[in-house]
Amino acid sequence: QVHLVESGGGSVQAGGSLRLSCVASGSVSSRYCMGWFHQAPGNKRVQIADIDSDGTPRYVDSVKGRFTISRDNAKKTLYLQMNSLKPEDTGVYYCAADSWTCQFDCDSGSYCSDRGTQVTVSS
C-alpha cells in the first residue's frame, strides 16, 4: 500500500514562491518515478513535472525555468520549488508515483494522491 501526502500550498502574489512537499509511505522506493500534477479550477489534472530513479527531471513548457522538482530518497519525500508564480499556476497540486513509468496513469497502475495541496496566486 502506498500513501502520498502533500503539503506546502498557500496564497501568494504573482512573482512569489512556494515549496511543495510530498511524503510517501509504503512500498515507494528510490527506483520509483515520482511527479506532480496540477489541476486548475474547472480543468482536469495535468502532469507538469516528474523525476525518475536517476534523478533526471522533466517539465512541461509552461513551468520550465520557474519550477524545480527534486527528491530526497532517504526521507521518501518529493519536492516542487515554484518560483515566479503566475495567476495561472493557481489550483490543486497532487503528487504521484510509479515503479514502471513516468507517464502516470492514475486510473491504471500509478499511485496518485487524492488530497492535494491548494495554491492560489493573486495578480
Side-chain angles (χ1 to χ4, degrees):
Q1 187 73 15
V2 171
H3 195 48
L4 303 168
V5 178
E6 305 91 343
S7 63
S11 297
V12 296
Q13 290 191 328
S17 298
L18 285 172
R19 189 194 194 202
L20 307 185
S21 299
C22 170
V23 178
S25 60
S27 60
V28 172
S29 68
S30 60
R31 65 183 179 86
Y32 277 60
C33 186
M34 298 187 74
W36 291 96
F37 283 84
H38 171 228
Q39 185 169 18
N43 292 352
K44 295 181 179 180
R45 293 188 193 188
V46 175
Q47 184 173 334
I48 59 169
D50 58 74
I51 183 167
D52 66 14
S53 57
D54 293 329
T56 301
R58 297 188 310 170
Y59 305 93
V60 294
D61 287 345
S62 60
V63 306
K64 278 182 183 176
R66 300 189 300 122
F67 291 9
T68 302
I69 189 171
S70 61
R71 62 194 295 169
D72 184 331
N73 292 325
K75 295 182 179 180
K76 289 190 174 182
T77 302
L78 178 71
Y79 302 100
L80 187 68
Q81 178 66 44
M82 306 189 295
N83 298 329
S84 302
L85 282 161
K86 303 176 180 180
E88 51 263 45
D89 296 321
T90 292
V92 182
Y93 287 76
Y94 301 88
C95 62
D98 197 301
S99 62
W100 290 102
T101 180
C102 289
Q103 297 298 320
F104 305 113
D105 184 343
C106 298
D107 295 323
S108 177
S110 299
Y111 297 107
C112 299
S113 167
D114 290 327
R115 173 177 161 177
T117 187
Q118 174 72 43
V119 171
T120 303
V121 185
S122 58
S123 57

